[in-house]
Amino acid sequence: MRQTFPALSKGQVPMLLWLLLLILAPGREQSELAPKAFIRLTPPWSTNFKGKTVTLTCEDSHSPAQGGISWYYDDILLKKKSGKLQIRNSGYYKCKTPGSSLSDPVHVEFLSDWLILQASLPVFEGDDVYLRCQGWKEEDITKKIYYKDGEKFAVTYDSGFIRLNSASTNNSKYHCTTYVEGLFGMWKESSKALRIQVQELFPPPVLTASPSQPIEGSPVTLKCETWLPPQKSDTQLQFCFFSGDQALGSDWRSSSELQIPAIWSEDSRSYWCQAKTVTHSVMKRSLKSQIHVHRVPVSDVNLEIQPPGGKLIEGDNLVLTCSVARGTGTITFSWHREGTIRILGRKTQRSLSAEFQIPTVKESDAGRYYCAADNIHGPILSTLITVTVRIPVSRPVLTIRAPRAQAVVGDVVELRCEAWRGSPPILYQFYHEDATLGSSSAPSGRAASFDLSLTADHSGNYSCEADNGLGAQHSDRVTLNVTVPVSRPVLTLNPAGTQPVVGDVLELRCEAQRGSPPILYWFYHDNVTLGKSLAPFGGGASFNLSLMAQPSGNYSCGADNGLGIQCSEVVMLNFTDQKYFLLELKYGSLHLVPSRSKITPVTVGVILGLLSILGLAATAALVCKFRTQKKSGGISATGTASPNDCQEPFLSRSFGTETQESTHFEPPALMELQPVYSNVNPGDRDLVYTLVGSIQHTKEHLANSPRLHWKHKGPTVIYSEVKKTHPDDSAGQASCRGWAHEDATESYENVPSTSLALYH
């Protein structure tokens, strides 16, 4: 049967709660509602030697107590009524004052043992405890050992005490031992086991609510009440409130009260609290208290949009907040768009407002929105709000349109930038590296173009930017390589300041100052290809020419990087100083090669003597000449055709040692022939001839010596008789070493001098 109570006044509510707590908590006496009395000991030890006296003092919050004190010894009421009691018997002692409840019992023990363990009193929960091991004759003790539940935990060597931190009611047993020296040696003494008496620091708290049955939306005050003993009134406590298993407020607080601004019908549940010391050494919780809340219907439903005004950019988050001015309990919120039956979203929660988010809005999300709220009494609708959506430009795409596959200097290319999406108008910017090339506007969106005439500096990365006021977007970089045709190369000969001779290595250096790599260089001598060299990274290239044959003539080079060959100017190479030559027969042809040996005056004299004999053998020489030409077939010339790309006329320049060169050509008659040795083999190994001759420039002819090829128009034949080498003939050894000789008198034949060529 359910029992009802009449309406109570505000002052009667707490008293009713206390009565309910007494009914719901069996064994909890009403006297516990008042602060407990407590007993103080002098001296403050729980164990003493028999024959000693201990004074007990009963105190409460109005300490010291003034009369009316009740003392209890082993639950027997004593006649003593004063505030102090002297005792010598072991047992449990309690006291009570008129303004307090019964104190916790204090156990005092008097022992006749030789060794006792003393604990300080009173000890409250969380306090430090002091232990002292005392002997009947303290002077005979040097070492004391302390044990907890049979385990050694401390050792002392004096009559002092040890401290145990944060005492608790764990019922642990303590004792101590020592070794005593006597006339008959040493023996061990142990104390009686001791349990530490710990008093309650504060009773479990009691939770009260005001008002006890609130209406939804009204504030409620929760209070967590407990008491501290007078001697611990300075202890700081903290409080925490709970609804079910969830903490309320900001966790632990120093205030014993909690203000709930508004409570709803869904908040109808059990509440309880906890109290603890600041050091967390003691913590106690209250019993649970049930609170019932009455519900209020919803009203004044309102819809708000973020960002304000309902103007969004595509990709933004649209936040719809539905709220009610009044209403309690569980409220169901729903969101809708006009013209659609489908509900956009629904939430049920215990609050006056709720949010619904449409992430990354699109153009199709534009329209008019409203929300509804319901807490069982029926949905209430909000007003309509319009939402508009604008589209930012997408990332543009840059394309480069060139008239050919490989862009070349001078071409006009089209830079086209296009954004596939975006609200117009769109402004396009074009960039080369980080430099702005220009801009173009597209009033209706889409794409824009920019024409660029290419130069050699236009190679690199290109990009574009699209902006319609909602944030600029940059395209990816597009690389454009502009190919630069090679410029006209320059041919140089190295070494340039020395006179090359046969056997030297001449470096031909060809270099084009402009042109995209790789560049292929070709080298020519009199339109005959000497070779080629590749410069993969641009710059110049070299070709080494070993001067084993006729070096005079026109030299040039060509450069090509796939856009057409460019040819250098012609460089002319000639001899300008005296050289000695040896005429030798190679591969069936006569060749004139420079001689590096010195011609001594003795050798010249011998040659002049030989020349006097030449006239006597003219007829025989003519016959021999005819036979020799028939056998040898004449001097052959071989070569390769010049490249077709370098047949255009070139400006020519000569190469020599003089700083100023004359183009005046002197006839060959101005040059004199000087004797030079040259072995001639017309093809028959049994026939060996010696040709003596040289060409000497005179001083007046040296300055005007020709730089071009020249040939003898008339045959000049010089004969020399091969002499056997004598040991004392050093000149003969130098000229003829390594040659096999026949008899002193040999056959001769005429050799025309038209095959002799001058080398520079």
Side-chain angles (χ1 to χ4, degrees), residues 48-70:
N48 297 274
F49 286 108
K50 198 169 187 63
K52 298 291 184 179
T53 301
V54 176
T55 301
L56 305 181
T57 304
C58 187
E59 297 181 1
D60 59 11
S61 57
H62 303 286
S63 178
Q66 302 294 330
I69 306 298
S70 300

Side-chain angles (χ1 to χ4, degrees), residues 541-576:
S542 299
F543 179 80
N544 294 327
L545 178 62
S546 180
L547 301 181
M548 300 303 297
Q550 169 76 294
S552 297
N554 297 325
Y555 289 83
S556 63
C557 69
D560 187 10
N561 66 346
L563 299 178
I565 189 169
Q566 293 288 332
C567 299
S568 70
E569 296 180 359
V570 172
V571 177
M572 189 176 296
L573 178 64
N574 293 310
F575 276 101
T576 59

